[in-house]
Amino acid sequence: MIQNLAESLLPYIPYVVLSFFVWLTYGYTLKCGFVIDDVDGIVSYDGKLQGLEYGMISRWLRYHLCGGNFWSGKKDLNGKDVPQGKVPFRHHLLSVTIFNIAILLTYQFLASTFSPKLAFLGVLLFIVHPICNQGVAWISGLGYPLSLVWLATNLNLIHWYYSIGSQHLIIDIIVILLSMCIQYLAINAQFATMMAFIPMAYLGWWPFSFLTLLLAVHQGFQIVRSTISMRTKVFKEQDMGSSTYLHQRKLIVAIKTYYYYIRLMLFPKRLGLYHEWGYHYDKEVEKENRMLLQGLLAIGATLGLFFYSGDKLVGFGLVWLLSFILIFLNWITIQQFVTERYVFLPVLGMCLVVASLLQNELMIYGLIVGVLLMRTWSHLPSYDDQLKYWQSNIWNYPKADAAYGNIGVIYNAMGYPGASMDAWIMGTKINPEYDVPHYNLSSQFRSRGMLLL
């Protein structure tokens, strides 16, 4: 009886182990607070479902599961009202739970489609990879793991449908409609999932791939158009308007961006909201230089591995990587230029490739898991509060002028005007054309009677 019980529980062991690693990796975040967009995006939200525009469904769900504008009467480092202490805990708990669900659904799909062993190794790498920090540890990044929940659910549904074969026209219609509804939720959570039709085509799911493409075109047009119209004005004010237009030299920018992300995924040494490369878009980004050659070599290595590996999981991992990174290669820059959360989905493909290549080198694989886990752990305290968040950004990217501008605001709210002015002066030295610290400095001097006009 004991042997039968053990055999019956054996298939569930990978799910338990993967869940254990999720909470081992991100359990620290349960005591973290609100940072950057969290207060305005969550605490200030009134909980009303304002239509079905991009991101609204997950925002509404998060509010009603975890709470929102419940004030404690205290002020944060920015001088704003602070919500009750339990609210950040609830939101972080939700983020880790959603990530856990995404992991289990992703493993279920990969194990049933490819190899349970390789699926386990690839997903475990994904769990501990530092790239996932912004999607899991940052409350406002919930859309990324949530999009993977919906995407993996859809992939499991379609795999199940093909495994049982077509039974009846009614079943076909129900599965198709359900699949499109789930895919709609995935795109609404994170618009990069509109590229899911490419992995579906690779797996031979042509009808679902075609329907997903139609849905992606419909939703993507609305999302990208509204985002472009909103961001173009802001970028023009920052003298970055040229980054929002598609022209022939953007191919160079895309190749460089691809190399930047591949290097970041393989060697996640530096992490932060604001990176240095490309933050202030200039003509240098479009020039032919060494980075362009490195990008061409990275693309060549990717395509070479795809065509000559002969491993179906490697092929799928590379298709997954290319599909979901394609939209973030700055063909049209409408958000940040580069940041880790944009490759939350693509890095899963990278992890699958590495796991497949190292499946017989478990000591090396284990060493990589340990190094990635330690890097993730070392970065999680950045989400404790606003001050630590911007300090971490500056330590990782010392020339990120925007980080100095933001930490100056934090110091000023804490009652340290000297430290705030030092930070703003540093920002102006890094980039003399960055107007925010200049304005803040003039306001500080004027308020203290140190500036006569």
Side-chain angles (χ1 to χ4, degrees):
M1 178 180 293
I2 295 178
Q3 183 178 357
N4 292 336
L5 179 61
E7 291 178 354
S8 64
L9 293 177
L10 190 61
Y12 299 100
I13 292 179
Y15 296 92
V16 175
V17 175
L18 290 174
S19 296
F20 169 78
F21 270 95
V22 167
W23 292 95
L24 175 68
T25 305
Y26 286 102
Y28 178 90
T29 63
L30 298 181
K31 62 179 183 179
C32 293
F34 289 120
V35 296
I36 47 177
D37 294 343
D38 292 342
V39 173
D40 290 333
I42 296 172
V43 180
S44 300
Y45 173 53
D46 61 5
K48 297 179 181 179
L49 187 61
Q50 301 164 352
L52 298 177
E53 61 265 26
Y54 177 58
M56 181 54 65
I57 296 176
S58 57
R59 190 181 184 190
W60 177 85
L61 180 65
R62 179 176 58 191
Y63 176 92
H64 288 281
L65 287 175
C66 303
N69 50 350
F70 301 101
W71 309 107
S72 64
K74 300 179 180 179
K75 300 289 184 179
D76 66 7
L77 296 176
N78 287 324
K80 296 182 179 180
D81 292 326
V82 174
Q84 293 177 355
K86 293 183 179 180
V87 176
F89 168 81
R90 295 171 187 166
H91 283 280
H92 284 294
L93 179 63
L94 176 64
S95 293
V96 182
T97 301
I98 291 295
F99 184 58
N100 197 163
I101 296 171
I103 289 299
L104 299 184
L105 290 170
T106 301
Y107 170 76
Q108 171 64 31
F109 163 69
L110 294 171
S112 59
T113 306
F114 302 101
S115 159
K117 174 187 175 181
L118 294 180
F120 179 85
L121 295 177
V123 172
L124 179 57
L125 268 179
F126 178 64
I127 292 172
V128 301
H129 202 291
I131 288 294
C132 296
N133 263 271
Q134 282 186 2
V136 184
W138 183 28
I139 293 174
S140 294
L142 180 65
Y144 290 85
L146 184 60
S147 69
L148 183 57
V149 168
W150 296 123
L151 179 58
T153 300
N154 197 21
L155 294 175
N156 277 297
L157 171 65
I158 299 173
H159 180 270
W160 169 81
Y161 171 77
Y162 277 106
S163 67
I164 65 172
S166 180
Q167 301 292 324
H168 194 278
L169 179 61
I170 299 298
I171 295 179
D172 296 344
I173 295 174
I174 292 175
V175 170
I176 290 174
L177 292 176
L178 184 58
S179 174
M180 292 302 99
C181 289
I182 295 173
Q183 189 61 35
Y184 176 88
L185 293 172
I187 298 175
N188 189 272
Q190 216 300 305
F191 69 91
T193 53
M194 69 176 66
M195 306 301 290
F197 68 92
I198 300 177
M200 291 180 184
Y202 177 79
L203 294 172
W205 299 345
W206 294 104
F208 290 93
S209 175
F210 177 71
L211 292 173
T212 300
L213 173 60
L214 294 180
L215 181 63
V217 170
H218 176 264
Q219 279 192 266
F221 178 75
Q222 293 181 334
I223 293 171
V224 173
R225 183 182 62 179
S226 62
T227 306
I228 287 178
S229 62
M230 176 183 66
R231 297 296 294 175
T232 299
K233 180 180 178 182
V234 177
F235 274 35
K236 285 182 178 179
E237 293 173 353
Q238 299 174 350
D239 198 25
M240 295 173 60
S242 59
S243 67
T244 62
Y245 299 111
L246 181 64
H247 52 83
Q248 59 184 8
R249 299 197 71 82
K250 281 299 186 71
L251 178 60
I252 296 175
V253 178
I255 294 172
K256 290 182 178 181
T257 306
Y258 181 74
Y259 167 72
Y260 187 90
Y261 278 136
I262 292 297
R263 185 181 62 183
L264 183 64
M265 286 187 278
L266 290 175
F267 305 103
K269 179 182 177 181
R270 301 181 186 277
L271 303 171
L273 179 66
Y274 294 133
H275 293 219
E276 294 171 0
W277 181 70
Y279 179 76
H280 294 286
Y281 192 92
D282 54 35
K283 292 300 180 182
E284 189 67 28
V285 179
E286 301 178 0
K287 289 183 178 179
E288 301 90 340
N289 53 22
R290 181 181 178 181
M291 191 174 184
L292 174 62
L293 177 60
Q294 292 169 325
L296 292 172
L297 291 175
I299 294 173
T302 303
L303 296 178
L305 188 60
F306 176 80
F307 286 110
Y308 296 107
S309 69
D311 188 312
K312 190 173 182 181
L313 183 61
V314 170
F316 178 79
L318 292 173
V319 168
W320 183 282
L321 166 67
L322 292 171
S323 300
F324 296 117
I325 203 174
L326 187 65
I327 203 168
F328 290 117
L329 295 184
N330 290 301
W331 306 98
I332 299 176
T333 305
I334 56 176
Q335 296 187 37
Q336 284 182 236
F337 194 80
V338 289
T339 192
E340 296 104 64
R341 65 184 183 276
Y342 292 167
V343 283
F344 176 88
L345 289 175
V347 78
L348 173 60
M350 175 71 75
C351 291
L352 295 177
V353 173
V354 173
S356 183
L357 296 177
L358 296 179
Q359 59 180 302
N360 297 320
E361 304 292 341
L362 294 183
M363 290 188 64
I364 299 176
Y365 170 86
L367 177 62
I368 293 174
V369 169
V371 171
L372 293 178
L373 179 59
M374 286 188 291
R375 181 65 187 100
T376 296
W377 278 346
S378 68
H379 190 65
L380 290 181
S382 303
Y383 295 89
D384 283 350
D385 54 49
Q386 295 273 50
L387 179 60
K388 289 184 179 180
Y389 192 84
W390 295 118
Q391 285 177 332
S392 174
N393 202 149
I394 290 171
W395 293 335
N396 280 275
Y397 296 100
K399 294 183 179 180
D401 51 356
Y404 284 98
N406 281 279
I407 201 171
V409 174
I410 302 300
Y411 282 134
N412 192 53
M414 293 174 65
Y416 302 129
S420 66
M421 287 189 287
D422 288 342
W424 292 329
I425 290 172
M426 182 64 69
T428 62
K429 287 184 176 181
I430 295 172
N431 179 16
E433 297 182 0
Y434 182 33
D435 59 347
V436 173
H438 285 293
Y439 175 81
N440 290 340
L441 282 169
S442 67
S443 299
Q444 189 75 272
F445 289 141
R446 187 179 295 109
S447 66
R448 296 178 175 274
M450 301 168 64
L451 183 64
L452 300 177
L453 294 177

